[in-house]
Amino acid sequence: MITGTILNEISNIVGSRNLITDKNKMTEYGSDATKLEFKPDAVVFPGNSEEVSDILRLATRARFPVVPRGAGSGMSGGALPVKGGLVLAMDRFNRILEIDQDNLICKVEPGVITAHLQEAVEKLDLFYPPDPASLNISSIGGNVAECAGGLRAVKYGVTRDYVLGLTVVLPTGEIIKTGVETMKGVAGYDLTRLIIGSEGTLAVITSITLRLIPKPAHKKTMIAYFRDVSGAVQTVSSIIRNKIVPAVIELMDRYCLDSVKEEMTYPVPPQAGALLLIEVDGDELLVERESERIREVCHKDGALGFESASDSEEAERLWDARRNVAPSLVKLSPHKISEDIVVPRSRMVDVIDFLEEAGREYGLLTPSFGHAGDGNLHVNIMLDKDNQKDVENAAVLVKELFKRVILLGGTITGEHGIGITKAPYLGMEISPAGIELMSRIKKAFDPAGILNPGKIFYAG
């Protein structure tokens, strides 16, 4: 519990208008995309690194929790105040500080919305590739904290591949810079990479230096329908074996396809049990050559239908349908558990087969979609949370899914992070020695344990 005296000190640091203590006004800062809810003691909106530093020094001295928060779009509860305390909302850190066209870098504050950054750099014919499905609401700082991936990861990689350096505030109040503003730099330990994906448990990010690349001149979006997921996954491997790496290869199974088929630009063949949404980019001749080769591969592998978007507007409608898959699944059941596992591309069929069998055993639908090009599947376990049997069966199914994924050489999370929802399962993938080393790193950064406590390391 934060005392009135401490609240006065925080108010003196940021100004009274940048501190919220009213319970009704704080409600949205106690929840995120998981829909779980926790109550903070207060919410503060710092405006610069020095204010963050003063708040963290106070927290370390007085021993109260501080929870950094971006846009609240997280899927694993990483920004939830599970132990109460102070939510550090980064809304005011919302500026694009610099776009350097000569050196192909930009500097941004963590509250910048991902789509806004992409729009700004693309006006200069530059490109920031990471594109999580939440790009219109998620912040760059949250993307860095979770190491977000997105649809284009198969060709362009994930957030960590574009972060050159950070300005961060340590829990003990020191403001430090990590990394470089150059393409090379190996001085000392790579603290930048350590902080990326640390889910706000090691430091508070206050600015980010990102690598940019030239914007691809052309792109083409295609869809291919298949009788089943096995045929679609086989085609993904065939495309890549033909030395084509599309910018995007997205997979939908039959449940997902049924949920969004009314939004699709083209009629869905009645026998279709899976869909691939594919995009290639680059110079015009390359795009035409690769898209034609992809058409040939799809037909050879038994595609039921193949279409190319005729223009950017038609392509955007296809992408809108893909982005709406997750919310559209509510048509199947009132509630769901969403997991983001990753396996080698060639083992995706094994996961889908397991899910269909387990779904029948436990009486639950298990629609899946995701980034087929890098083996990242978003598995949805549909249930009614008012039905105790559904809840119990879903919990068993999640654990069995994670066991199978690890057995197949995969990981229990590709993009969403561990947070609180996957903390009970971290020991399935990471050895006790590995977890102990991570715990020691956490203590070195945060000796008082005040920064985002209760995350990643399971204590329940």
Side-chain angles (χ1 to χ4, degrees):
M1 188 71 178
I2 300 176
T3 67
T5 300
I6 291 173
L7 288 174
N8 285 335
E9 290 190 57
I10 295 171
S11 181
N12 289 336
I13 293 169
V14 300
S16 59
R17 67 179 180 176
N18 293 313
L19 178 65
I20 298 176
T21 56
D22 181 275
K23 290 183 179 180
N24 292 328
K25 293 180 179 178
M26 291 193 296
T27 301
E28 68 175 285
Y29 297 94
S31 186
D32 66 359
T34 64
K35 306 304 181 186
L36 298 171
E37 296 181 359
F38 296 86
K39 295 180 180 179
D41 296 316
V43 179
V44 68
F45 301 85
N48 55 56
S49 297
E50 289 71 25
E51 290 180 357
V52 174
S53 173
D54 290 343
I55 291 167
L56 293 180
R57 288 183 194 277
L58 175 60
T60 293
R61 188 179 79 240
R63 297 296 199 270
F64 61 83
V66 177
V67 181
R69 180 185 175 91
S73 61
M75 296 292 291
S76 63
L80 297 179
V82 296
K83 297 182 181 295
L86 183 69
V87 169
L88 194 75
M90 304 301 285
D91 303 42
R92 294 172 64 198
F93 286 80
N94 59 3
R95 297 176 299 163
I96 298 174
L97 301 171
E98 179 185 5
I99 300 175
D100 183 342
Q101 298 181 71
D102 293 328
N103 294 299
L104 294 182
I105 63 172
C106 67
K107 297 178 183 178
V108 302
E109 292 181 326
V112 172
I113 300 301
T114 310
H116 296 171
L117 173 64
Q118 291 178 337
E119 291 165 4
V121 301
E122 287 179 25
K123 288 177 181 176
L124 301 173
D125 281 331
L126 299 175
F127 194 45
Y128 177 69
D131 63 333
S134 60
L135 63 90
N136 290 310
I137 56 172
S138 66
S139 66
I140 293 291
N143 293 174
V144 173
E146 297 291 343
C147 193
L151 284 64
R152 292 192 285 243
V154 59
K155 180 175 181 177
Y156 290 107
V158 297
T159 298
R160 67 169 167 255
D161 300 309
Y162 295 87
V163 180
L164 294 173
L166 302 168
T167 300
V168 301
V169 185
L170 301 181
T172 42
E174 297 92 343
I175 301 171
I176 67 169
K177 291 188 175 183
T178 73
V180 295
E181 296 181 13
T182 56
M183 293 300 113
K184 297 179 181 178
V186 291
Y189 294 148
D190 193 343
L191 297 177
T192 304
R193 284 279 181 124
L194 180 58
I195 292 167
I196 297 167
S198 64
E199 303 187 41
T201 63
L202 299 182
V204 176
I205 299 166
T206 57
S207 76
I208 306 157
T209 301
L210 296 168
R211 179 172 71 93
L212 303 174
I213 62 175
K215 179 183 174 182
H218 296 274
K219 61 184 178 182
K220 178 168 282 193
T221 303
M222 300 153 276
I223 54 172
Y225 298 101
F226 295 86
R227 195 170 301 278
D228 51 35
V229 169
S230 178
V233 170
Q234 176 185 326
T235 301
V236 172
S237 296
S238 297
I239 290 169
I240 293 174
R241 275 199 303 271
N242 274 268
K243 298 181 175 57
I244 301 169
V245 182
V248 183
I249 315 179
E250 291 292 292
L251 171 73
M252 295 184 207
D253 73 4
R254 60 189 173 93
Y255 298 118
C256 299
L257 187 53
D258 285 344
S259 295
V260 297
K261 63 182 178 182
E262 293 176 2
E263 303 169 43
M264 300 296 293
T265 305
Y266 304 103
V268 178
Q271 316 97 306
L275 170 147
L276 290 179
L277 182 55
I278 308 165
E279 186 168 276
V280 292
D281 63 8
D283 69 67
E284 187 171 7
L285 288 177
L286 177 66
V287 166
E288 290 303 320
R289 185 167 63 247
E290 289 190 339
S291 59
E292 183 55 35
R293 186 68 185 119
I294 287 171
R295 179 191 294 272
E296 293 170 1
V297 170
C298 288
H299 283 308
K300 183 178 180 182
D301 282 359
L304 299 174
F306 185 97
E307 299 287 349
S308 297
S310 59
D311 54 35
S312 60
E313 186 176 319
E314 196 169 88
E316 191 55 36
R317 285 200 297 271
L318 291 174
W319 289 119
D320 283 344
R322 160 60 183 88
R323 295 185 187 107
N324 287 333
V325 169
S328 295
L329 290 175
V330 72
K331 299 173 185 176
L332 302 178
S333 188
H335 308 112
K336 65 175 180 170
I337 297 173
S338 299
E339 301 295 350
D340 72 316
I341 56 90
V342 189
V343 293
R345 275 191 301 266
S346 60
R347 309 310 296 269
M348 283 191 292
V349 172
D350 297 312
V351 174
I352 298 294
D353 288 346
F354 162 80
L355 286 169
E356 289 193 357
E357 182 179 335
R360 286 192 295 270
E361 179 180 351
Y362 294 110
L364 299 169
L365 293 179
T366 57
S368 300
F369 63 93
H371 319 314
D374 53 30
N376 184 186
L377 286 173
H378 294 282
V379 175
N380 297 269
I381 300 170
M382 312 305 295
L383 73 156
D384 180 352
K385 290 185 177 178
D386 295 325
N387 183 322
Q388 187 59 30
K389 185 177 181 182
D390 272 11
V391 173
E392 292 171 359
N393 284 346
V396 174
L397 203 162
V398 167
K399 191 169 185 178
E400 292 301 314
L401 170 64
F402 290 162
K403 285 181 181 177
R404 183 61 59 96
V405 163
I406 292 168
L407 185 65
L408 294 172
T411 176
I412 64 174
T413 181
E415 301 176 314
H416 294 171
I418 294 295
I420 59 173
T421 61
K422 293 192 179 185
Y425 310 106
L426 183 63
M428 296 173 65
E429 181 170 336
I430 307 296
S431 70
I435 292 175
E436 173 59 26
L437 177 57
M438 292 179 190
S439 298
R440 296 204 303 269
I441 291 170
K442 163 68 173 170
K443 192 168 184 62
F445 274 78
D446 184 14
I450 58 97
L451 192 59
N452 212 11
K455 312 298 166 56
I456 302 178
F457 308 107
Y458 184 53

